[in-house]
Amino acid sequence: MTNVLVCIKRVPDSSGEVLLTDDQQGVDGRYVGFTVSNHESCAVELAVQTAEATGGTVTLLTVGPSEATEQLRDTLALGCHAAVLVEAEPARLGPADVAREIAHVVREKEAAGTTYDLILLGNDAADSGDFQVGIRLAHALGRPVVNGVSTVEVADGHLTARGDGPEGEETYSLPLPAVATLLEGGVEPRYPTLKGRMAAKKVQIETRALSAEPAGASRVRLLLPPPAPSTVEVLGEGPEAAGAVADLFAKLGVTR
Amino acid sequence: MILVLIETENGAASEISLETLAFARSLAAEGGGIAIRAVVVGAVENRDALAAELGTHGAAEVRHAVGEAFTSYSGAAWAAALQAIRESTGSVVVTAAGSPRGNEVLAHLAARLDVPMAANATAFHGLAPFVVTRQVVGGAALEEMKLDQRPAIFSVAGHSWSVSPVEGASPAAWVEVTPEVAESDLVARVVSTGTKEVDHSDSLKSAKVVVGAGRGAGGADGFGAVTELAELLGGAVGVSRVVTSLGWRPHHEQVGQTGSRISPDLYIPCGISGAIQHWAGCASSKTILAINTDPEAPMMTKANYAVVGDMHEVLPAVIEELKSRGVS
Ligand SMILES: Cc1cc2nc3c(=O)[nH]c(=O)nc-3n(C[C@H](O)[C@H](O)[C@H](O)COP(=O)(O)OP(=O)(O)OC[C@H]3O[C@@H](n4cnc5c(N)ncnc54)[C@H](O)[C@@H]3O)c2cc1C
């Protein structure tokens, strides 16, 4: 039985235009909505698969605003069992703060008799892109960590994780308890079922306050990159442009 | 002293490690000529060639960490080596490429030393306070971040600095070191490495022509003309993340920051908006021909050539035109 803790983050959906808040301290998600990073959706899928295969449980955890209950409920519907919200204003926290808060919850839960053999996170959050919460968490808990892996499997108290390395696919094998940070691409996240949605509604989300005053993200401000100058040559409109396109292919020597 | 972790590929420093050295040199100059030391971990194929290369790119010395601990990769073990070298050299800045390895090792080091780390820096502003600009939101926004603790730890985003060799530089001095690594730092180490053949994206990465498709394809069955054109041109299909997220095409076809980086002679993105994360994967294409209904889409303004129109009308017309010219 493997109990998995998955850490997710409420992030602005940045697939469209990115806007900044007036104080330049955050990405403004008001007009685009909020979501969970793709890496984390894959972590959730792997957590659910691991728990299903071993008769274990999946607990979700997020450190974020009270509105993050929306992402917790959506994710609970995918087959997770419990959810914890550590309530905080995200702009006040840096990656070290987030890692410390997660570690604090893990330690308290363990003192109360709930252990998490495997903790999964996204390799990096889609908004802050810090690449370090998982590693700092593992360090705080004194557990081994593998990063940027695409799949995880648990058997006989061991975690086998695979991911792309510079020379080919790399395999890690380490004893549990362990931490792993996931990249997307190894699994397809599932969609919620109606039954899942109904079950998610009934879960009581455990809400906690920060355990310590955050040290912050050392952020001065956010900026948008300047737009690149355009040098485009328009070949035409619609199907009529086909001739010009074929001429271009011939000029570039790509047609054999 | 600035410490730069170097990653190697086929015995030579990786391109992004050389870019990181260029960033470090600029920082060293700003600080009045601070010395740069490179750190290399594990097996090295040709030490003299690497010493010469790193010297040419500004490193005065190389610290080469050797020992059983480094025969297979472990992020924690690499960080232990970097930590030992930084302590013995008194370095105030530690940097590495903003690659998966670079970010991972630096994050381990930052956690061990309990100092902040900035991932994917693109520039710096002055030294006191030391502020770096770094990419956030996958490069769609930038953050100015203060690094006022020592050592200042940051990785350097790929393509943000140009590689710039120093004329007539002498090879870096080579110093072998055997840092101690705790057993606990070796628990999460690579136990086996597969061959590159398993990487389905190889043909995409090496293709001379890539026909790309995004949300504009409209669905899993909207790729007929895309694949047909790719076949006609002897190329590969590359897609945007929306396409893989929706399950229309497999992930190994994804181009971008979290997909493959391609550099074909010709890239033809159809129905792809050109979000910065997609652009990150196709910016080094020699020529880009964008096909999009929206003339204002970022891809249309960044491309070399553009056709304004519905990809489902334009592509079949192009295919027909090619066939009528005898391309098959
Ligand atoms: C951390 C992070 C990492 C990411 N990594 C990647 C990555 O690796 N790769 C990637 O691609 N994205 C990545 N993204 C997502 C990226 O931000 C965009 O969401 C994505 O690239 C958009 O895909 P798209 O252009 O297909 O879709 P959209 O942005 O929806 O654009 C569709 C385009 O198609 C045009 N169009 C619609 N219908 C037609 C038609 N019939 N004919 C012609 N044109 C039409 C529209 O005008 C529009 O320009 C990442 C995002 C984040 C936050």
Side-chain angles (χ1 to χ4, degrees):
Chain A
M1 195 180 88
T2 310
N3 292 331
V4 191
L5 179 73
V6 199
C7 305
I8 62 172
K9 181 178 185 186
R10 173 183 167 92
V11 293
D13 181 349
S14 52
S15 55
E17 197 189 349
V18 172
L19 301 169
L20 303 181
T21 53
D22 290 341
D23 64 1
Q24 289 185 290
Q25 290 300 309
V27 176
D28 192 339
R30 274 178 304 171
Y31 309 108
V32 288
F34 289 85
T35 180
V36 168
S37 303
N38 286 37
H39 297 342
E40 292 163 12
S41 300
C42 292
V44 170
E45 177 60 35
L46 286 164
V48 173
Q49 285 182 12
T50 305
E52 277 173 356
T54 61
T57 61
V58 179
T59 302
L60 296 169
L61 187 158
T62 194
V63 182
S66 58
E67 292 86 352
T69 45
E70 189 192 336
Q71 280 66 44
L72 288 175
R73 290 256 178 246
D74 288 352
T75 312
L76 274 167
L78 302 173
C80 308
H81 305 87
V84 181
L85 166 71
V86 180
E87 222 174 321
E89 175 55 48
R92 291 185 60 218
L93 308 178
D97 298 316
V98 176
R100 187 200 51 238
E101 289 303 326
I102 300 171
H104 181 78
V105 174
V106 172
R107 280 197 213 97
E108 284 209 342
K109 290 279 176 193
E110 301 211 324
T114 309
T115 57
Y116 300 113
D117 319 280
L118 181 60
I119 305 179
L120 301 182
L121 306 91
N123 184 63
D124 53 296
D127 57 349
S128 52
D130 287 309
F131 293 88
Q132 42 192 293
V133 173
I135 290 172
R136 287 185 188 270
L137 170 68
H139 189 80
L141 294 173
R143 293 184 184 186
V145 56
V146 288
N147 286 281
V149 291
S150 312
T151 63
V152 292
E153 264 168 67
V154 167
D156 306 325
H158 266 73
L159 170 71
T160 304
R162 293 195 171 83
D164 250 354
E167 269 130 43
E169 191 192 56
E170 292 176 341
T171 305
Y172 293 84
S173 169
L174 49 154
L176 297 175
V179 178
T181 75
L182 273 301
L183 279 180
E184 63 183 301
V187 278
E188 280 298 326
R190 67 188 66 191
Y191 291 100
T193 58
L194 187 61
K195 195 168 147 238
R197 281 189 202 281
M198 300 305 285
K201 277 194 191 151
K202 295 201 197 100
V203 175
Q204 173 89 37
I205 294 175
E206 178 188 334
T207 305
R208 298 164 151 254
L210 286 178
S211 71
E213 201 41 40
S218 316
R219 171 172 292 168
V220 180
R221 60 178 177 149
L222 292 179
L223 309 159
L224 292 177
S230 170
T231 53
V232 65
E233 180 183 328
V234 178
L235 296 179
E237 284 194 25
E240 273 79 69
V245 171
D247 291 347
L248 175 69
F249 290 173
K251 187 177 114 187
L252 296 174
V254 295
T255 37
R256 291 163 300 174
Chain B
M1 180 91 52
I2 300 175
L3 218 51
V4 185
L5 176 68
I6 300 293
E7 291 170 65
T8 57
E9 265 167 26
N10 307 320
S14 73
E15 187 76 4
I16 170 165
S17 285
L18 294 180
E19 292 169 10
T20 305
L21 269 177
F23 187 115
R25 256 170 49 215
S26 193
L27 187 59
E30 181 85 11
I34 310 171
I36 297 174
R37 273 205 175 94
V39 175
V40 178
V41 185
V44 164
E45 282 169 33
N46 184 341
R47 174 203 280 210
D48 291 345
L50 191 58
E53 185 186 33
L54 294 176
T56 304
H57 288 87
E61 188 188 285
V62 180
R63 292 274 164 128
H64 179 203
V66 294
E68 199 285 323
F70 311 115
T71 48
S72 70
Y73 176 74
S74 150
W78 278 45
L82 204 51
Q83 185 176 4
I85 294 167
R86 124 121 186 120
E87 271 158 24
S88 65
T89 54
S91 305
V92 291
V93 174
V94 184
T95 180
S99 62
R101 288 269 202 271
N103 279 325
E104 178 178 355
V105 175
L106 290 187
H108 272 285
L109 180 67
R112 295 165 96 98
L113 299 175
D114 194 22
V115 298
M117 161 197 161
N120 294 323
T122 58
F124 65 93
H125 313 277
L127 300 181
F130 183 44
V131 174
V132 294
T133 302
R134 67 181 198 99
Q135 293 176 342
V136 291
V137 203
L142 299 170
E143 175 188 57
E144 285 175 1
M145 180 174 169
K146 213 191 296 176
L147 289 176
D148 48 12
Q149 292 188 44
R150 292 292 168 264
I153 300 181
F154 63 89
S155 67
V156 176
H159 304 302
S160 57
W161 284 73
S162 327
V163 173
S164 55
V166 189
E167 287 297 321
S170 38
W174 195 278
V175 181
E176 218 168 70
V177 289
T178 44
E180 275 201 23
V181 176
E183 270 307 305
S184 55
D185 290 332
L186 294 169
V187 176
R189 74 193 294 189
V190 171
V191 294
S192 69
T193 305
T195 49
K196 265 282 181 205
E197 275 87 69
V198 295
D199 188 349
H200 300 290
S201 58
D202 265 7
S203 55
L204 171 61
K205 286 181 202 153
S206 60
K208 293 272 172 255
V209 179
V210 174
V211 185
R215 194 195 300 271
D221 53 4
F223 289 80
V226 176
T227 45
E228 192 179 347
L229 181 61
E231 271 164 32
L232 267 182
L233 298 175
V237 173
V239 302
S240 73
R241 177 146 100 179
V242 165
V243 169
T244 53
S245 299
L246 292 170
W248 296 349
R249 302 288 294 187
H251 184 264
H252 65 78
E253 288 185 356
Q254 182 174 316
V255 170
Q257 193 202 3
T258 49
S260 295
R261 293 189 180 225
I262 58 168
S263 47
D265 291 341
L266 175 64
Y267 180 44
I268 312 173
C270 310
I272 296 182
S273 61
I276 195 124
Q277 298 87 0
H278 187 83
W279 185 250
C282 68
S284 39
S285 308
K286 271 204 198 112
T287 302
I288 297 182
L289 161 64
I291 301 176
N292 201 303
T293 43
D294 175 8
E296 303 296 325
M299 186 58 91
M300 296 286 272
T301 53
K302 286 186 205 164
N304 306 88
Y305 301 94
V307 171
V308 184
D310 185 334
M311 61 183 277
H312 300 296
E313 294 170 9
V314 178
L315 289 181
V318 169
I319 290 165
E320 203 177 308
E321 178 69 25
L322 290 177
K323 284 184 177 161
S324 77
R325 294 186 186 192
V327 179
S328 59

